[in-house]
Amino acid sequence: MPELPEVEVTRQGLQPHLQGRRVLACHWSGRRLRTPLPRKLLGDEIVNQEIGRVDRRAKYILIRMANRSVVLVHLGMTGRLGLFPATRARARHDHLWLRLDSGFELRFNDSRRFGSIQVWPGAQALQLEQAFHQAQGLEPLEREFTANALDTLAHNRKKPVKNFLMDNRLISGIGNIYANEILYQAHIHPLSPAGNLTKGQWDQVVHATRLVLHKAIQAGGTTIADFVSAAGKPGYFQLQLQVYGREGTPCPRCGQAIVKIRQAGRASWFCPGCQPTP
DNA sequence: CGGCGCACCTGAGTGC
DNA sequence: TGCACTCAGGTGCGCC
């Protein structure tokens, strides 16, 4: 599930429970994720250290330690970070768990193991973070995300606008669900070549992106009270999706049937009435 | 360089 | 009940 809103909701849920806590121990399942777990660094840099802020950049969660080291978590397709009483039995597909001095454990669960966990050692954290930030795209909820910036990025690109929005080297945090929902909101066909969009259309993309992402974060935020509850679900929201997964159902705006196509290996949905063919 | 296909994994759903 | 097949919210590599 995790696109920017789910990652941000996870961050918001974790932050108050992690900040100021000490990591007492660290354990792992023995299975590798997308990359092998950095066991030695976790032991050397994280265990016995106090946690500071929890930040987000793109789809990554950054757990900052008081010794300046950073745990970088990517949730992949099925990853979840949750807090559980240390006495509760671990679940299938728990791959990393950090015992905290609060009696809770921070657990990373990921059935498909497309997620990743990295550690930046304190001594190199500054340089590594700089390089990391430079490799990321524009943050859609920051001031840098403007129609002008997108217009410049898209200049002369034939890449369909949907793939453009999902290219994380250019723009951070937008995945398949939100790319579809944003383009529906903006009345733009997903196959439109990015370089052909007008300034006015980029304006619509900027507004639609902010609206859709903010709404999703707010919807997720409403369930955040459960964050450390028995369910242990990190508050994934249930946004009212307008087009994603809704082929054949009437468009909420014009009533025409939503169409599904395949684009660069991923499914796309759009309304042929409201999102005119390029 | 840009764009696409595919591999990396497990699990859920469907159809026979 | 079992099996074969498709699809899934992400990313990065190799290939053209």
Side-chain angles (χ1 to χ4, degrees):
Chain A
M1 307 205 159
E3 298 182 34
L4 186 151
E6 294 76 25
V7 178
E8 177 59 22
V9 164
T10 299
R11 183 200 72 77
Q12 289 176 9
L14 290 175
Q15 157 82 20
H17 301 283
L18 291 186
Q19 189 158 34
R21 299 272 61 81
R22 182 169 290 270
V23 177
L24 300 181
C26 166
H27 300 275
W28 43 80
S29 64
R31 318 218 41 193
R32 58 172 282 152
L33 303 177
R34 165 168 276 282
T35 56
L37 281 175
R39 301 165 165 212
K40 176 152 171 48
L41 285 176
L42 284 163
D44 291 350
E45 302 278 336
I46 308 304
V47 173
N48 286 324
Q49 297 299 325
E50 188 178 304
I51 301 173
R53 282 194 51 79
V54 180
D55 288 330
R56 178 192 61 76
R57 177 73 172 91
K59 293 175 192 165
Y60 292 87
I61 290 173
L62 285 76
I63 303 173
R64 300 186 185 280
M65 308 302 292
N67 66 359
R68 319 196 66 128
S69 64
V70 179
V71 183
L72 191 68
V73 180
H74 194 290
L75 302 177
M77 291 274 259
T78 49
R80 298 177 160 207
L81 268 180
L83 279 163
F84 302 85
T87 51
R88 175 157 308 136
R90 282 182 296 277
R92 183 163 156 78
H93 304 305
D94 278 352
H95 293 300
L96 178 74
W97 52 101
L98 302 181
R99 194 151 54 81
L100 307 178
D101 63 359
S102 54
F104 281 82
E105 279 182 358
L106 176 64
R107 296 179 181 174
F108 179 78
N109 183 286
D110 187 359
S111 59
R112 288 176 79 178
R113 290 188 278 125
F114 287 170
S116 72
I117 292 179
Q118 296 167 66
V119 172
W120 295 335
Q124 295 147 256
L126 217 60
Q127 295 99 296
L128 288 171
E129 181 154 358
Q130 240 168 28
F132 167 76
H133 278 295
Q134 278 177 10
Q136 306 305 315
L138 297 175
E139 275 291 331
L141 300 182
E142 300 292 329
R143 297 187 57 184
E144 64 189 13
F145 192 75
T146 62
N148 274 335
L150 292 175
D151 192 46
T152 304
L153 271 183
H155 187 63
N156 279 344
R157 283 184 204 261
K158 295 177 195 142
K159 191 197 261 267
V161 62
K162 186 205 172 205
N163 305 332
F164 174 85
L165 290 179
M166 289 175 67
D167 186 336
N168 56 41
R169 290 163 305 181
L170 307 174
I171 299 164
S172 290
I174 298 176
N176 204 29
I177 291 181
Y178 295 110
N180 281 294
E181 295 296 318
I182 288 164
L183 290 173
Y184 173 76
Q185 277 297 322
H187 296 76
I188 295 168
H189 194 289
L191 288 174
S192 312
N196 291 2
L197 265 64
T198 63
K199 226 32 159 330
Q201 286 181 306
W202 285 122
D203 255 326
Q204 288 178 294
V205 168
V206 168
H207 284 117
T209 301
R210 295 220 173 102
L211 179 78
V212 168
L213 297 184
H214 275 303
K215 269 168 84 171
I217 291 169
Q218 276 171 13
T222 62
T223 59
I224 207 67
D226 295 348
F227 200 78
V228 284
S229 77
K233 287 184 188 156
Y236 287 142
F237 70 101
Q238 279 124 28
L239 180 70
Q240 282 290 24
L241 298 173
Q242 310 287 298
V243 288
Y244 184 89
R246 299 181 57 90
E247 66 270 25
T249 67
C251 165
R253 280 192 302 239
C254 77
Q256 280 204 43
I258 301 299
V259 171
K260 177 183 182 181
I261 59 173
R262 186 155 284 270
Q263 218 181 324
R266 316 291 300 269
S268 294
W269 291 265
F270 63 94
C271 169
C274 304
Q275 294 164 268
T277 307

